[in-house]
Amino acid sequence: MIAFAYMNCIADLIADAELTEKIFWLRFEALRKLRRLVAIYEEDGFKSELVEAVFCKKAKYLMEATTKKETESILKPSTPRYSGGEFLPKGDYYVEEEELILWSRTSYLRPLALEEQKRYQELFGHYFGDEAA
């Protein structure tokens, strides 16, 4: 399904006669980078629905981007900010599904602190509540 969404984005770029060559190549390269990123998530065995959501949401942002700075911000990992004893979404291009993937990867590398565990459980429950039960 990600391959289909990727090809649709590329087709939309090609079909958009109003795009400048600069914007075309900016978005094209950003989409290629995004595809490589989500391929890593796929190879790591993350649930396809999560990976697809990351791709589709970030691709939607990229299809509207007009500057290199924007594409770089979109491609950055969706990490939360810590404020008032809790983790909160951060940034204009935040994707919750990617944050969940990142918490999962982090928990594999090291034990999570109490606040980190709470955020990870919150996100996990949001996406897998019925399955986890």
Side-chain angles (χ1 to χ4, degrees):
M1 188 62 152
I2 293 171
F4 181 72
Y6 176 67
M7 293 310 295
N8 275 341
C9 289
I10 300 301
D12 287 347
L13 284 178
I14 292 169
D16 190 344
E18 295 181 18
L19 277 184
T20 65
E21 186 174 343
K22 181 181 175 184
I23 299 296
F24 172 87
W25 288 110
L26 177 77
R27 291 177 184 172
F28 181 82
E29 285 302 316
L31 285 167
R32 286 184 51 202
K33 288 177 184 177
L34 177 60
R35 182 62 187 107
R36 285 193 300 270
L37 171 68
V38 298
I40 293 168
Y41 296 158
E42 288 175 309
E43 290 167 9
D44 287 348
F46 286 101
K47 194 164 175 107
S48 60
E49 290 87 352
L50 281 179
V51 178
E52 186 178 328
V54 171
F55 180 83
C56 289
K57 288 179 180 181
K58 287 196 171 218
K60 183 178 177 185
Y61 293 139
L62 289 172
M63 294 300 285
E64 299 297 321
T66 57
T67 66
K68 185 174 181 177
K69 185 176 180 179
E70 271 183 293
T71 62
E72 289 171 349
S73 292
I74 294 164
L75 292 171
K76 284 184 182 177
S78 294
T79 55
R81 65 183 172 87
Y82 186 74
S83 177
E86 64 182 335
F87 288 95
L88 304 167
K90 175 183 80 175
D92 295 333
Y93 307 113
Y94 169 81
V95 175
E96 188 173 75
E97 294 85 352
E98 186 174 34
E99 182 189 349
L100 176 57
I101 288 171
L102 296 174
W103 281 123
S104 181
R105 293 175 101 189
T106 302
S107 72
Y108 182 74
L109 298 172
R110 65 167 174 80
L112 298 177
L114 185 59
E115 295 88 358
E116 295 170 334
Q117 288 176 18
K118 182 180 173 186
R119 178 65 176 167
Y120 183 31
Q121 288 173 339
E122 175 187 328
L123 292 171
F124 191 88
H126 182 241
Y127 287 94
F128 302 109
D130 296 337
E131 290 179 46

